[in-house]
Amino acid sequence: MQTPGDFVREQVTSVRSTVDRVADSVADASGVSAVSSSVGDFIREQRNAARVSLRELARTAGVSNPYLSQVERGLRKPSAEILASIARGLKISAETLYERAGILDRRSGNPDTVAAIRSDDALSERHKAVLLELYETYVREHRASSPAAS
Amino acid sequence: MQTPGDFVREQVTSVRSTVDRVADSVADASGVSAVSSSVGDFIREQRNAARVSLRELARTAGVSNPYLSQVERGLRKPSAEILASIARGLKISAETLYERAGILDRRSGNPDTVAAIRSDDALSERHKAVLLELYETYVREHRASSPAAS
DNA sequence: CCCGGGTGCTAGCTCCTGCAAGCGGAGCGG
DNA sequence: CCGCTCCGCTTGCAGGAGCTAGCACCCGGG
């Protein structure tokens, strides 16, 4: 029989490829300190953190590369549809970009993520354990890369 | 120019119409009949439910009345900014309109957990993406194994 | 040396959003 | 009947979104 700990490890391993990429961008993110004021800056930051060229992001997002260039530099104000496409290309949530673009107000404060996961009855206990394990790992990484917190 | 009395009356009317609409939608909730396909239909429904004229909504939303007319009839595709203004004028959440407009796909699962992860600033965007992806996978698995959950 | 392919950016165009102006119709007081 | 105000809609236009084509630059290989 498998212990819960083993199961957690197995799950984490199963998403390793994705995590590896994330680890890369986190390692990169240590140098990223500038607070982006506009959406474009934020997009460019995320793109650079992901080590993706402008043209490649344009391709995966289904946008023309000149237009993406102009958006990143703040020369054009992309529509929500384009923002959603870019978010998809960057593998981040559309809400985040909308928020940066000022078309979506920030959601309620800072709820406890751990509590939310623990009390979520759409998850089995084992899945909760996986998510919590991964979550705490990420938080540790984040703290290590941005000591400015607290 | 507007007298203070008019202003008060306007506010009272606004509140009352909101209450009316809530009551309506509650009564409606028993059987959702009118499913609006486009955003415009939904806006018009909400406006009619609020007993507000097109011109008045246009005024409170800060949009021109001809344009609002065209939006409601599906002749124009409003930008997210305009949608946000209209949502404000209708006193409904922007997310709802975005969802109707197809520029925001509401994720599956417990919205509280999703919101918690999204608004957790101890996580990078890419970490959020990983956690959300994993979370959704788990929720789907859970639903598949226990279809009894409503 | 030059060529192919990569990077990001500029020029010019088309299409459509969003607005101001104006239309006909409905209700209401004189 | 006329004049006024509201309703929603149509028209024509300015401006910007988003694209295609092409620019300059850099790098590795023939």
Side-chain angles (χ1 to χ4, degrees), chain B residues 7-73:
Chain B
F7 177 74
V8 169
R9 187 171 327 180
E10 185 181 298
Q11 291 301 307
V12 170
T13 303
S14 158
V15 170
R16 187 175 47 217
S17 61
T18 304
V19 172
D20 283 346
R21 196 174 62 251
V22 169
D24 268 356
S25 54
V26 166
D28 245 15
S30 54
V32 178
S33 49
V35 178
S36 60
S37 52
S38 70
V39 212
D41 291 333
F42 179 70
I43 293 174
R44 179 155 290 191
E45 276 173 24
Q46 293 295 311
R47 182 174 63 79
N48 287 334
R51 320 257 168 106
V52 173
S53 76
L54 188 148
R55 284 179 129 93
E56 186 171 344
L57 174 57
R59 218 178 310 120
T60 59
V63 204
S64 75
N65 63 82
Y67 185 58
L68 180 57
S69 167
Q70 291 169 319
V71 165
E72 285 191 350
R73 285 176 300 142

Side-chain angles (χ1 to χ4, degrees), chain A residues 82-115:
Chain A
I82 295 289
L83 280 180
S85 298
I86 294 176
R88 221 173 298 122
L90 280 174
K91 310 251 172 60
I92 67 179
S93 76
E95 278 95 337
T96 306
L97 278 192
Y98 291 171
E99 204 176 306
R100 291 283 180 151
I103 60 177
L104 244 192
D105 295 333
R106 173 157 275 283
R107 275 309 213 171
S108 59
N110 200 1
D112 192 350
T113 304
V114 173

